[in-house]
DNA sequence: AGACAATACATGAGTTACTCAAGCTTCTAG
DNA sequence: CTAGAAGCTTGAGTAACTCATGTATTGTCT
């Protein structure tokens, strides 16, 4: 038994590694699909990722929270937000109770673009190929996984 | 019914959108987990992504194929490969039959680093929190989804 | 109330990953 | 044998991102 095999022995589950690969593959496919349509929407990938987080049906999020969800520095979100404002797709609003906080809210145009974005990726998503039952199973499993983290 | 709602009406499945979000969330969590350990392994994220693809148990891949899997330009893989060679983790070998093609192969050190990388993310993966039965179900569902793309 | 630390965002500089265009070598087709 | 295509490399340029710093606001401790 050589050293490499010994280390392999440590790896908890072969199947967990395979699952990881699958998730990353899917994520890559979706991202690439999105890229293809971004030119038409005149968005960059990083801006699109921000738009994706800006749900119109919930309370607007502080820039700091958005940075956390994007796994990047808050200063980066400042730049992305400025780009969205320039294009008239969102606007920064002061937080009603905390003067330090800025929240980012989509405009009507922004909401429209967001729907197009979702449409773009959801329509051709590999996950859309599953039937309803499978989708529900998958949703439950992923939900459990995410919650356990 | 306003315009935004009309567009919402087009979105095939609400649940498919939710699934998309889950996959992207998981992918983000895994990536962030990986980042945390990359400093210790002295790797950058992009180099690590390449190492991830360099399976020692299959035929070595041409740089072009690797570029396709990474969704990036071949010239970028040239750079990443050079970094791997500098660190002695991989070496470019000419293809036995086609003189134009270079394949990338991990060295013994490279294989060791790759196992550490897998260990790093697999051990703490949210997916590792599921039990064996759930993992198998999930694997089957994801496999079907990926195949349908 | 007043001082001090902490939080949230903004700004500027610098780094890195990446793309694109052009060039070289090798393979393939007529 | 020549023309074209395919694969990799090189160099230049760009965009995204981080880090350090600055400013305004909030919370806390006495």
């Amino acid at each position: 038994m050589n050293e490499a095999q010994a280390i392999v022995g440590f790896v908890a589950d072969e199947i967990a590694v395979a699952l990881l690969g699958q998730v990353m593959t899917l994520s890559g496919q979706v991202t690439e699909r999105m890229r293809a349509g971004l030119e038409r929407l005149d968005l960059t990938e990083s801006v699109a990722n921000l738009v994706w987080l800006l749900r119109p049906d919930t309370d607007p999020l502080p820039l700091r929270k958005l940075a956390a969800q994007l796994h990047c520095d808050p200063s980066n979100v400042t730049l992305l937000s400025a780009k969205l404002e320039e294009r008239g797709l969102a606007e920064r609003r002061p937080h009603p109770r905390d003067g330090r906080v800025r929240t980012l809210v989509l405009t009507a145009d922004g909401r429209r673009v967001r729907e197009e974005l979702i449409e773009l990726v959801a329509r051709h998503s590999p996950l859309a190929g599953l039937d309803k039952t499978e989708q529900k199973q998958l949703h439950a499993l992923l939900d459990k996984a995410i919650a356990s983290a």
Side-chain angles (χ1 to χ4, degrees), chain A residues 40-58:
Chain A
R40 186 171 58 76
L41 294 179
D42 194 28
L43 291 178
T44 65
E45 190 177 336
S46 51
V47 170
N49 285 332
L50 177 55
V51 171
W52 177 271
L53 297 181
L54 263 33
R55 300 183 52 174
D57 59 334
T58 62

Side-chain angles (χ1 to χ4, degrees), chain A residues 26 125-139:
Chain A
L26 275 172
S125 160
L127 300 166
L130 301 174
D131 64 40
K132 278 276 178 291
T133 307
E134 292 168 330
Q135 286 185 351
K136 284 178 186 172
Q137 282 181 6
L138 187 53
H139 187 276

Side-chain angles (χ1 to χ4, degrees), chain A residues 32-139:
Chain A
E32 198 183 25
R33 169 69 63 181
M34 191 169 65
R35 272 189 201 175
L38 287 183
E39 194 180 10
R40 186 171 58 76
L41 294 179
D42 194 28
L43 291 178
T44 65
E45 190 177 336
S46 51
V47 170
N49 285 332
L50 177 55
V51 171
W52 177 271
L53 297 181
L54 263 33
R55 300 183 52 174
D57 59 334
T58 62
D59 283 341
L61 294 171
L63 301 195
R64 176 158 268 281
K65 299 275 187 185
L66 295 170
Q69 291 193 42
L70 289 172
H71 308 294
C72 74
D73 195 87
S75 64
N76 192 29
V77 178
T78 298
L79 294 176
L80 298 175
S81 302
K83 289 182 187 174
L84 277 180
E85 275 190 334
E86 276 180 28
R87 288 214 37 205
L89 300 181
E91 55 182 22
R92 270 171 288 193
R93 294 186 188 160
H95 191 281
R97 309 187 179 196
D98 192 334
R100 296 168 296 183
V101 175
R102 306 264 171 180
T103 61
L104 192 58
V105 183
L106 288 179
T107 61
D109 272 3
R111 289 194 295 273
R112 220 162 359 243
V113 167
R114 183 171 186 270
E115 294 302 335
E116 289 181 44
L117 188 63
I118 290 175
E119 176 72 8
L120 176 71
V121 291
R123 174 89 72 183
H124 308 92
S125 160
L127 300 166
L130 301 174
D131 64 40
K132 278 276 178 291
T133 307
E134 292 168 330
Q135 286 185 351
K136 284 178 186 172
Q137 282 181 6
L138 187 53
H139 187 276

